[in-house]
Amino acid sequence: MRDKLQTLLAQLRFHGMASALDSEIERAEREVTPAPELLHRLLCAEAAQRRERSLAYRLDQAHLPWRWTLDSFPFERQTGISKAQINTLAGLDFLRRNDNVLLIGPPGTGKTGIALGLLREACLNGYRGRFYNAQALLDELYASLADRSTARLLKRLSQMQPLVIDEIGYLTLKPEQANAFFRLMDERYNRVSTIITTNLDLPEWYELFQKKTLVDALLDRLQHHCITIRIDGPSLRSPDPSPPAAAASSRAPRRAAAARQPTGDPP
């Protein structure tokens, strides 16, 4: 009977139930478990495995370039970010309101780390989001013009919740890319959330996109229902300075050890 059950579960692709079947039947025999309780345990095992597979799929489709999380973000080093504000964002109410998040600051200040952390939280909570480097996204939009697949691409991108667009800065832009980017933001406007990181303040977008009317309309949509975080702090790519006391204490044993070295021996 177990072999028949395993065959049926395999045909139905109930892999969670199949993996738990033998142990749960043996447990039921030991504990004289009623049939409804046994069935409930098997269904729970199936549901748990499906949740795990769904999460793994969402994380894979999000194209996260690094395994950064908000828990690992060095808030103690980045004084330009409010940890309380980021933790509030991690509650994902901004996704339920379809608000945008705009992270503005110099290179190396942690904008991408915060964006990735929020995207990972969204995936963990059942949302289907996606990370894009800004230049790669604009290039993909431009390539879609050649095979007339822009409408299909925009439809797919407009459903991602959230969409992270990283490093809007000193990009190489063609007029068609600027127009396609505006179409994307227009499709997403007030429907889903977009997280953008940029080292350019908003007035500098006019020089980047080279079209005042387009930037006016773009910023109007982006900033409506938008949480703007300006990071004015140190670069996290700089070496983490050791405390003076710790550095002095670490040098003292080395000096003592060097004093004990016999003359002519390597240190």
Side-chain angles (χ1 to χ4, degrees), residues 21-255:
L21 182 66
D22 289 340
S23 60
E24 288 297 343
I25 287 179
E26 290 168 5
R27 178 183 175 185
E29 290 172 347
R30 286 196 313 271
E31 300 175 359
V32 195
T33 304
E37 184 177 340
L38 171 60
L39 181 59
H40 179 261
R41 290 175 182 173
L42 290 171
L43 289 171
C44 286
E46 179 64 28
Q49 188 170 102
R50 291 193 179 195
R51 285 194 299 270
E52 290 175 6
R53 291 203 306 268
S54 179
L55 172 58
Y57 177 79
R58 291 195 302 274
L59 290 172
D60 180 67
Q61 294 300 300
H63 292 268
L64 297 163
W66 302 284
R67 291 189 172 185
W68 292 348
T69 68
L70 294 178
D71 290 336
S72 63
F73 188 86
F75 288 101
E76 69 284 353
R77 291 183 58 197
Q78 185 45 273
T79 56
I81 294 178
S82 166
K83 183 177 181 180
Q85 183 181 22
I86 301 304
N87 285 338
T88 299
L89 286 176
L92 305 180
D93 283 339
F94 77 97
L95 293 181
R96 290 180 274 275
R97 297 191 303 264
N98 299 323
D99 288 353
N100 298 320
V101 176
L102 186 58
L103 296 156
I104 304 174
T109 51
K111 304 182 299 296
T112 301
I114 294 297
L116 285 174
L118 292 174
L119 176 56
R120 180 176 287 275
E121 285 297 318
C123 292
L124 292 174
N125 284 274
Y127 291 94
R128 297 179 182 272
R130 171 72 194 268
F131 175 92
Y132 264 103
N133 172 270
Q135 186 68 65
L137 173 62
L138 290 164
D139 290 344
E140 188 170 331
L141 288 168
Y142 184 71
S144 72
L145 297 172
D147 60 6
R148 299 182 180 180
S149 62
T150 306
R152 186 166 62 252
L153 175 61
L154 288 175
K155 182 178 180 181
R156 179 166 58 84
L157 292 174
S158 67
Q159 295 172 348
M160 294 173 177
Q161 176 71 323
L163 177 66
V164 174
I165 305 174
D166 188 44
E167 295 184 1
I168 288 187
Y170 303 106
L171 305 172
T172 303
L173 283 179
K174 299 179 176 65
E176 297 87 350
Q177 290 174 305
N179 292 333
F181 183 70
F182 171 75
R183 287 178 60 190
L184 171 62
M185 296 306 297
D186 187 50
E187 288 281 338
R188 295 180 58 81
Y189 170 61
N190 225 22
R191 298 184 182 94
V192 281
S193 302
T194 305
I195 302 174
I196 292 179
T197 76
T198 177
N199 54 18
L200 300 179
D201 209 343
L202 297 180
E204 298 175 275
W205 286 35
Y206 289 93
E207 183 179 353
L208 173 66
F209 288 98
Q210 295 290 318
K211 198 171 183 181
K212 183 180 183 305
T213 54
L214 181 144
V215 177
D216 284 342
L218 174 62
L219 294 181
D220 182 61
R221 286 159 175 76
L222 175 63
Q223 291 185 284
H224 188 217
H225 303 305
C226 180
I227 300 166
T228 301
I229 299 174
R230 299 178 185 274
I231 306 175
D232 183 16
S235 172
L236 298 176
R237 297 191 180 107
S238 302
D240 188 11
S242 300
S249 62
S250 66
R251 286 195 298 270
R254 289 201 294 270
R255 286 198 297 269

